[in-house]
Amino acid sequence: TFLKKVYTLVFLRKDNKILLGLKKRGFGVNKWNGFGGKVEPNETILEAAARELKEESCVDVKASELQNIAHLEFTFEGDPTMMDVRVFSANVFQGEPKETEEMIPKWFELDAIPYNDMWPDDNIWFPLMLSGKLFYGIFNFKGFNTILNYNIQELESM
Ligand code: 6U4
Ligand code: NA
Ligand code: NA
């Protein structure tokens, strides 16, 4: 049995592009990823998703514009915590992404996503996200670079 910690992960979309941020510190440093972090005890998951997006990219999003598109769970061999990640997408938001203490934001064309500099699970599930699917996935890592095994299921609703 695992101790679950809930995290958010938000992807903004504009034209044929997706906003990623290069993480400057902490977990996933030097990887391109969506924006997000731990859900605090005093907030809902949607509130956390909007707060982390704002803190990390300076962009505002209304909770009602966040579409929950996936649920991902990550375990790491030898670690009893499970990262329970709620993934959202939004194409309506306010403000321009700006560099922050945590992230350098950049818009990427959908055919030029930098998978080599991302978490190794991303090239497995981004295609589902980019084709508009809803899904659940679980990934079991050894260290931070090797996926020992995984399973993904498409969902009819979240
Ligand atoms: P603090 O401790 O406040 O700096 P916080 O911002 O709360 O951290 P952080 O940045 O550690 O949390 O959250 C991790 C982020 O990385 C979340 O948005 C989830 C995301 N994430 C974790 N594992 C991932 C993986 N394998 N693939 C992926 N995103 C992952 O695409
Ligand atoms: Na974060
Ligand atoms: Na945080």
Side-chain angles (χ1 to χ4, degrees), residues 69-72 125 128-129 133-136 153-155:
I69 55 132
H71 180 195
L72 301 175
W125 58 263
L128 287 172
M129 172 169 75
K133 303 284 202 256
L134 307 177
F135 53 96
Y136 165 79
Q153 285 167 236
E154 281 182 31
L155 303 175

Side-chain angles (χ1 to χ4, degrees), residues 62-119:
K62 294 194 175 103
S64 58
E65 299 293 350
L66 288 168
Q67 294 157 257
N68 185 200
I69 55 132
H71 180 195
L72 301 175
E73 294 186 309
F74 300 100
T75 61
F76 299 89
E77 203 180 45
D79 183 341
T81 52
M82 173 181 268
M83 297 187 81
D84 179 339
V85 180
R86 311 304 172 90
V87 188
F88 298 89
S89 134
N91 46 35
V92 177
F93 52 88
Q94 292 78 42
E96 285 299 317
K98 288 189 179 61
E99 182 173 346
T100 62
E101 295 282 299
E102 189 144 337
M103 290 283 213
I104 301 172
K106 182 176 171 179
W107 291 103
F108 288 88
E109 297 284 345
L110 298 185
D111 60 5
I113 292 171
Y115 290 116
N116 290 340
D117 299 313
M118 296 168 72
W119 282 100

Side-chain angles (χ1 to χ4, degrees), residues 6-11 23 25-28 31-40 51-52 55-56 72-74 76 83-87 102-103 118-123 125-126 139 141 144 147:
V6 183
Y7 291 77
T8 62
L9 185 59
V10 174
F11 294 95
K23 198 124 182 317
R25 65 180 189 199
F27 193 78
K31 288 183 169 74
W32 291 99
N33 201 356
F35 300 83
K38 294 177 206 73
V39 177
E40 303 291 346
R51 175 184 55 73
E52 289 278 352
E55 286 176 7
E56 296 182 352
L72 301 175
E73 294 186 309
F74 300 100
F76 299 89
M83 297 187 81
D84 179 339
V85 180
R86 311 304 172 90
V87 188
E102 189 144 337
M103 290 283 213
M118 296 168 72
W119 282 100
D121 48 283
D122 290 11
N123 74 18
W125 58 263
F126 261 53
F139 297 84
F141 275 78
F144 295 127
I147 296 170

